[in-house]
């Protein structure tokens, strides 16, 4: 008999959380950089281990059952806390450097001319400017802030 407090596989929980949030096994697979079959196997294994059905078909997608919604809420909260903790640890490793990403034209025309004043106003700030044109994906690029109009 399994210990009722033992956690299922972390990979299975990640696959479940992504599939529940995105309402699609294929889209979850893309996000996790694995195959559709790998996500499906993880979901099946998780359902078998827990002894409950977590999803039902919804047209071309999937929808969490009542049990699935309950697990989704817990998994989303746990993964969110983990992401926040990891981000804080990474920021600490950068010696509290603040990474600002924005298009090169904004850096050249607006930010760089104001750098001296910013350094006078915030002498403890270590600022790293990252020029990037196009859409920003702040989590992927390791940036602390990007222009609102450029968020994906």
């Amino acid at each position: 008999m399994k210990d009722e407090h033992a956690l299922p596989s972390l990979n299975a929980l990640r696959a479940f959380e992504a599939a529940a949030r995105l309402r699609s096994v294929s889209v979850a697979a893309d996000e996790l950089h694995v195959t559709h079959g790998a996500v499906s196997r993880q979901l099946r294994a998780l359902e078998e281990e827990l002894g409950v059905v977590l999803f039902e078909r919804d047209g071309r997608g999937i929808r969490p059952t009542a049990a699935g919604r309950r697990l989704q809420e817990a998994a989303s909260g746990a993964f969110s806390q983990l992401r926040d903790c990891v981000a804080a640890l990474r920021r600490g490793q950068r010696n509290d450097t603040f990474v600002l990403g924005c298009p090169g034209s904004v850096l050249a025309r607006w930010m760089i001319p104001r750098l001296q004043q910013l350094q006078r106003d915030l002498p403890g700030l270590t600022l790293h400017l990252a020029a990037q044109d196009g859409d920003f994906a702040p989590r992927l690029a390791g940036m602390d802030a990007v222009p609102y109009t450029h968020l994906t």
Side-chain angles (χ1 to χ4, degrees), residues 20-103:
R21 176 173 35 85
L22 300 167
R23 303 293 197 257
S24 167
V25 174
S26 296
V27 178
D30 288 343
E31 180 178 288
L32 298 172
H33 305 290
V34 297
T35 65
H36 179 282
V39 171
S40 292
R41 282 189 296 280
Q42 291 288 354
L43 297 177
R44 246 187 332 273
L46 184 60
E47 287 180 329
E48 287 174 15
E49 182 173 346
L50 298 176
V52 296
V53 175
L54 297 171
F55 292 102
E56 55 193 15
R57 291 255 177 248
D58 185 20
R60 293 184 59 116
I62 55 173
R63 179 175 29 139
T65 61
R69 287 189 301 275
R70 187 171 168 201
L71 183 58
Q72 178 185 7
E73 184 177 314
S76 293
F79 283 117
S80 178
Q81 284 183 314
L82 284 169
R83 277 190 291 277
D84 291 348
C85 179
V86 168
L89 292 172
R90 286 181 177 150
R91 277 191 303 273
Q93 290 177 349
R94 291 193 315 237
N95 299 324
D96 294 329
T97 299
F98 187 84
V99 181
L100 174 65
C102 55

Side-chain angles (χ1 to χ4, degrees), residues 5-6 18-19 22 95 101 106 109 114 119 147:
H5 297 288
L22 300 167
N95 299 324
V106 173
R109 293 185 190 140
R114 291 166 174 80
Q119 288 171 340

Side-chain angles (χ1 to χ4, degrees), residues 94 96-102 107 111 115 118 125-131 141-145:
R94 291 193 315 237
D96 294 329
T97 299
F98 187 84
V99 181
L100 174 65
C102 55
L107 288 177
M111 192 67 206
L115 274 178
L118 182 64
L125 175 68
T126 303
L127 181 65
H128 177 80
L129 301 173
M143 296 180 204
D144 295 307

